[in-house]
Amino acid sequence: MKHYIGATNPMHAQFEPKAAYAARHFAWSFADGIGTITLNRPERKNPLTFDSYAELRDLFRALHFATDVKAIVISGAGGNFCSGGDVHEIIGPLTQMQMPALLEFTRMTGDLVKAIRQCPQPIVGAIDGICAGAGAMIALACDLRYGTPSTKTAFLFTRVGLAGADMGACALLPRMIGQGRASELLFTGRAMSAAEGHAWGFFNALHESDALLGAATAVARDLAAGPTFAHGMTKTMLSQEWSMTIDQAIESEAQAQAICMQTEDFKRAYDAFANKRKPAFQGD
């Protein structure tokens, strides 16, 4: 197995706008401040490989410094989102590895989820068809998720003899859909239907397949036009406050809001309101 730790130097990444990023293991496009990631191995339902895990992790880490990118959409090609780790290119080799290499791999997959959660841009998942294993975890790590009536989301880890505790599943999923529902999905590995996912709060909305990407992109476009520094603060606080008491959260939000009140976007919003026009936010 290759070593994938530390592949990106964030001090270099801040000088590299991501509009022209050339992805190697998935597709990347950029327009109107929105970066779109498309997992694009449709003949296999878009499984992940060692290389695509590492490149996704490094891209999301670099996006922390990419001020040209205001929002992210992540989707899959060919009517499916992601079938998880590639059986032949990942799961097979893992059965032959020893503990140091196995731990390097499991930490890398967890680092992808951390990078998604820690990058300041809002991330919108457009999730059609199969969404399984690590693909389900990428979807779960997104800030907003939109599915289709045919979307099936499965945390399949127990189906391959592993614990349901993978890539943060036991922390993230109960907070999203509740402890009892999460326990059922993580113990059994069964697929959550689109209707269940919508009713339980996993999906923000469902759209027909041919309208899904457009709907997700429209949400991302609205977010990209908003106060992006403040959006990053909202995302940070949503994550950090899980481990705070109520009093700590209130104090942290007081500090966060005071910081946002120093931004030019706050002043722009006031000027626009006073002059009865829509604010034109610039993210500073």
Side-chain angles (χ1 to χ4, degrees):
M1 177 183 174
K2 300 176 183 177
H3 292 278
Y4 295 102
I5 296 174
T8 294
N9 184 338
M11 293 306 293
H12 293 166
Q14 63 183 312
F15 302 111
E16 299 175 1
K18 291 301 170 186
Y21 177 71
R24 297 178 57 198
H25 302 290
F26 46 84
W28 166 266
S29 61
F30 180 84
D32 302 324
I34 301 165
T36 300
I37 295 168
T38 305
L39 305 176
N40 63 344
R41 299 177 70 199
E43 72 284 355
R44 302 277 292 279
K45 300 179 182 177
N46 307 317
L48 298 169
T49 66
F50 292 124
D51 290 320
S52 59
Y53 266 122
E55 187 180 2
L56 284 166
R57 174 204 60 188
D58 291 345
L59 175 58
F60 279 109
R61 284 177 172 174
L63 285 169
H64 191 93
F65 304 95
T67 56
D68 56 332
V69 181
K70 308 297 185 183
I72 302 293
V73 174
I74 183 166
S75 68
N80 292 294
F81 183 68
C82 176
S83 57
D86 189 289
V87 172
H88 301 294
E89 295 186 43
I90 287 187
I91 296 178
L94 289 176
T95 65
Q96 305 301 314
M97 292 180 189
Q98 300 301 311
M99 178 57 70
L102 291 170
L103 187 56
E104 181 182 359
F105 170 71
T106 55
R107 284 175 171 163
M108 178 183 70
T109 64
D111 283 345
L112 169 56
V113 170
K114 288 192 284 187
I116 293 171
R117 298 300 309 147
Q118 291 169 4
C119 87
Q121 294 90 343
I123 300 171
V124 181
I127 303 156
D128 197 4
I130 298 301
C131 174
M137 286 308 304
I138 291 173
L140 181 57
C142 292
D143 299 295
L144 301 169
R145 283 156 301 280
Y146 296 90
T148 73
S150 63
T151 304
K152 295 185 182 298
T153 307
F155 299 85
L156 292 173
F157 310 113
T158 58
R159 298 291 180 93
V160 296
L162 297 176
D166 194 87
M167 298 173 69
C170 287
L172 291 168
L173 192 59
R175 289 178 167 95
M176 184 66 61
I177 66 172
Q179 185 81 9
R181 292 164 177 161
S183 297
E184 180 195 357
L185 295 183
L186 295 177
F187 276 121
T188 67
R190 78 161 178 88
M192 175 178 63
S193 71
E196 287 175 324
H198 190 207
W200 296 350
F202 186 87
F203 291 116
N204 295 89
L206 300 178
H207 300 278
E208 294 301 323
S209 292
D210 59 359
L212 176 63
L213 185 58
T217 302
V219 172
R221 188 177 296 113
D222 287 343
L223 293 169
T228 52
F229 177 88
H231 287 338
M233 187 68 78
T234 301
K235 182 168 179 174
T236 296
M237 300 314 295
L238 280 168
S239 179
Q240 289 185 353
E241 290 183 33
W242 284 355
S243 60
M244 295 180 185
T245 66
I246 295 298
D247 286 353
Q248 289 170 336
I250 290 172
E251 174 58 24
S252 293
E253 290 191 5
Q255 296 179 25
Q257 204 71 306
I259 292 169
C260 290
M261 288 173 181
Q262 293 184 310
T263 64
E264 294 301 314
D265 273 349
F266 181 61
K267 298 174 185 176
R268 291 185 185 103
Y270 171 74
D271 290 340
F273 179 81
N275 290 283
K276 298 182 179 180
R277 54 179 171 76
K278 185 177 180 179
F281 294 117
Q282 298 181 29
D284 60 346

